[in-house]
């Protein structure tokens, strides 16, 4: 979970791996190794939030995956509220 704080590209994979920490299976170890192979050679992603004048507009983004896990039928949801702009740099 520590890695996923500033790596939005692995957030979902880390969340799914974290669900099974109490009773991991062989498949979960394979998925963890796959995630590790993905991270090799990837640069760290930096999100830079720049300050901006208040323009009276608030952007709200939400997404949900209703019962997206086929095994547990659990849902995943998230959201973001932006008062400014976001830029992605590597």
């Amino acid at each position: 979970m520590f890695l996923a704080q500033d790596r939005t590209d692995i957030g979902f994979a880390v969340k799914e791996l974290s669900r099974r920490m109490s009773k991991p299976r062989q498949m979960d170890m394979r998925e963890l190794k796959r995630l590790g192979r993905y991270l090799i050679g990837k640069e760290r992603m930096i999100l830079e939030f720049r300050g901006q004048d208040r323009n009276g507009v608030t952007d709200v983004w939400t997404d949900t995956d209703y019962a997206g896990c086929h095994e547990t039928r659990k849902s995943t949801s998230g959201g973001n509220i932006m008062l400014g702009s976001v830029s992605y740099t590597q």
Side-chain angles (χ1 to χ4, degrees), residues 33-62:
K33 288 178 185 178
R34 182 178 180 187
L35 178 62
R37 286 192 299 268
Y38 170 79
L39 289 173
I40 293 174
K42 297 282 183 190
E43 293 185 21
R44 184 174 176 171
M45 180 182 285
I46 299 171
L47 293 175
E48 181 180 328
F49 295 95
R50 297 181 182 155
Q52 163 179 83
D53 294 333
R54 286 191 167 243
N55 56 6
V57 177
T58 303
D59 288 330
V60 179
W61 299 64
T62 61

Side-chain angles (χ1 to χ4, degrees), residues 14-90:
V14 170
K15 177 195 66 82
E16 289 297 316
L17 286 170
S18 297
R19 280 185 172 178
R20 300 202 187 348
M21 285 191 67
S22 62
K23 192 174 178 184
R25 303 172 295 181
Q26 287 293 328
M27 183 177 80
D28 300 322
M29 280 303 292
R30 286 194 300 271
E31 293 297 320
L32 180 61
K33 288 178 185 178
R34 182 178 180 187
L35 178 62
R37 286 192 299 268
Y38 170 79
L39 289 173
I40 293 174
K42 297 282 183 190
E43 293 185 21
R44 184 174 176 171
M45 180 182 285
I46 299 171
L47 293 175
E48 181 180 328
F49 295 95
R50 297 181 182 155
Q52 163 179 83
D53 294 333
R54 286 191 167 243
N55 56 6
V57 177
T58 303
D59 288 330
V60 179
W61 299 64
T62 61
D63 192 17
T64 187
D65 179 10
Y66 181 71
C69 180
H70 296 293
E71 293 178 27
T72 63
R73 306 306 295 166
K74 290 186 178 180
S75 302
T76 300
S77 61
N80 187 20
I81 300 173
M82 295 192 322
L83 298 173
S85 62
V86 61
S87 64
Y88 300 94
T89 54
Q90 286 190 350

